[in-house]
Amino acid sequence: MEAKISTLIATACLLAVPSADLGACTGIALKTQSGSTIAARTVEWAESVLDCGYAVVPRGHHQISFTPSGENGLPFLAHHAYVGIYTGYEKFVVEGVNEKGFSAGLFFFPGFGEYPSFCEKEKAISLCDMQVVSWALATCSSIEELKKELSYIKIVSLDPNVGTVHWRFTEKNGRMVVLELKGGKPVFYENPLGVLTNAPGFDFHLTNLRNYVNLHSGPAESQLLNKSTQLRPLGHGSAALGLPGDFTPPSRFVRAAFFSSTAPVARDCFTAVTTAFHLLNNFDIPIGMQHKNGQAPANLPSATQFTSATDLENLKFYYRTAWNQNIRCIDLKSINFEKIKYQVHPLDLERVQAVEYLRVE
């Protein structure tokens, strides 16, 4: 058991302590004309290839949270079936949706979350931070239910030296909240923007948006500098001049808020899904950008190891990976959760980009 816990701690360290900002996540949400919601996000890790896969979890599946002293924490039963993507270890689901249309996602938050100390006497109510998504999808169908259930448990880290994370939760009706731990206590923020990145805290990012109050879509207005000099925009989108282009969390938050809020409202859910993938192309982090020259891993085509989009109305979970940009879909409505067994699968059966060869005659 000690060896297993050491392995899990190493996995948690890999996922939650990005060295030199090698890990990043960007989340957005889009609405359709009918009011349906699409929750989409990226997951970045530039150090090495993550062992990513998807888990299909039926109702009745039993799990026990890990703690620093073993697999002896909070036990929880899947009242709701769900599908989610894990990174590093199959029980560490970082993004998913359950059959009630309730979505949950984990985002890196190094240096800012404040977890409570683990107490052996409270292990039965202790939930590992890397298993919060699985627990929420298994037990909750709404944000209010999540808040109530969370009041009875403690979120803990496997190792106090491991960095922290924060989470976003989205209801089928589109309501979204961000959860952060401050002083060991859960703090919820309403998130009408639908945007989330990483450190600092969510409240900082909302305040920081005020530095970009001048930005808007379309061209900037021409200006008469003096009686004889007319200044005209050099190209399309000139009113967005000053939009930050680096990959730090504050800059990505501003770009994500700007792109998602200026995108046309899609006529249907599938159009919104494809729009979300196009928007998130802007957050693909090229491999090498986060490394000193010559230190980038050779077998990683992009730091953005997967991108996902969830149609909460139709219960469809879409994803693509750094190796295969083709979009794949898991349709929860097509799964018979009464009969299906718990199972996990790799995101890519082969890490090869599918190419359609055209026949020209």
Side-chain angles (χ1 to χ4, degrees):
M1 178 58 73
E2 288 184 3
K4 186 174 185 179
I5 292 299
S6 297
T7 301
L8 292 175
I9 290 174
T11 301
C13 287
L14 172 69
L15 299 176
V17 188
S19 174
D21 196 30
L22 294 176
C25 317
T26 301
I28 61 173
L30 297 177
K31 292 280 190 180
T32 68
Q33 292 176 3
S34 63
S36 299
T37 299
I38 305 300
R41 57 92 54 86
T42 67
V43 167
E44 280 80 23
W45 177 250
E47 180 67 26
S48 59
V49 176
L50 288 173
D51 181 17
C52 295
Y54 66 87
V56 180
V57 183
R59 297 180 215 110
H61 182 68
H62 184 263
Q63 298 184 60
I64 300 176
S65 176
F66 290 94
T67 74
S69 61
E71 192 174 5
N72 56 7
L74 178 76
F76 58 96
L77 193 69
H79 301 301
H80 312 300
Y82 66 91
V83 168
I85 291 180
Y86 63 84
T87 54
Y89 180 56
E90 67 183 57
K91 294 187 178 181
F92 290 173
V93 173
V94 298
E95 181 70 28
V97 63
N98 68 21
E99 60 185 331
K100 298 296 183 181
F102 187 64
S103 170
L106 173 154
F107 288 68
F108 301 123
F109 194 45
F112 285 86
E114 300 167 342
Y115 290 3
S117 299
F118 171 67
C119 175
E120 186 71 25
K121 293 181 180 180
E122 296 179 319
K123 63 185 180 183
I125 61 168
S126 295
L127 175 65
C128 168
D129 59 350
M130 301 302 295
Q131 292 174 268
V132 167
V133 170
S134 294
W135 167 80
L137 295 176
T139 61
C140 300
S141 60
S142 70
I143 290 168
E144 293 307 314
E145 185 178 3
L146 172 78
K147 290 181 177 181
K148 179 182 177 181
E149 294 299 321
L150 195 58
S151 67
Y152 303 131
I153 68 175
K154 288 178 62 177
I155 297 175
V156 300
S157 173
L158 291 180
D159 186 328
N161 297 315
V162 173
T164 55
V165 297
H166 58 176
W167 303 264
R168 74 170 185 183
F169 302 96
T170 312
E171 292 180 345
K172 191 173 184 178
N173 62 17
R175 181 188 175 192
M176 179 185 290
V177 297
V178 173
L179 168 62
E180 296 176 354
L181 295 182
K182 293 187 175 182
K185 303 293 184 182
V187 177
F188 286 91
Y189 299 93
E190 295 291 329
N191 186 0
L193 282 173
V195 174
L196 186 60
T197 56
N198 315 104
F202 184 69
D203 51 353
F204 165 88
H205 290 295
L206 292 180
T207 302
N208 185 52
L209 281 178
R210 296 172 64 180
N211 286 317
Y212 301 91
V213 67
N214 58 296
L215 300 180
H216 60 85
S217 60
E221 297 292 332
S222 298
Q223 300 290 332
L224 186 64
L225 190 61
N226 55 41
K227 292 183 179 180
S228 59
T229 305
Q230 182 81 15
L231 299 182
R232 296 181 177 85
L234 287 173
H236 297 292
S238 55
L241 189 64
L243 187 69
D246 62 85
F247 289 101
T248 61
S251 295
R252 285 186 286 106
F253 190 98
V254 173
R255 288 208 308 283
F258 184 75
F259 293 149
S260 59
S261 64
T262 57
V265 179
R267 63 181 181 274
D268 55 51
C269 290
F270 183 70
T271 303
V273 165
T274 57
T275 298
F277 278 108
H278 283 299
L279 294 180
L280 289 174
N281 284 337
N282 293 276
F283 302 92
D284 281 357
I285 300 181
I287 197 66
M289 194 282 300
Q290 294 169 291
H291 304 82
K292 292 183 179 180
N293 189 33
Q295 295 184 4
N299 60 341
L300 190 59
S302 171
T304 305
Q305 299 207 24
F306 76 80
T307 303
S308 68
T310 305
D311 177 351
L312 301 179
E313 178 68 31
N314 297 299
L315 299 181
K316 292 182 178 181
F317 186 79
Y318 299 83
Y319 74 88
R320 68 185 183 199
T321 72
W323 293 268
N324 186 347
Q325 291 286 288
N326 287 13
I327 298 172
R328 284 147 280 177
C329 178
I330 303 171
D331 184 353
L332 274 71
K333 290 184 178 180
S334 71
I335 301 173
N336 185 345
F337 286 113
E338 298 292 341
K339 294 183 178 181
I340 200 166
K341 303 295 184 181
Y342 173 83
Q343 54 191 272
V344 295
H345 303 276
L347 292 188
D348 295 303
L349 294 178
E350 291 183 282
R351 287 184 169 140
V352 177
Q353 175 60 53
V355 177
E356 180 183 1
Y357 288 91
L358 304 181
R359 182 176 179 178
V360 180
E361 296 178 338

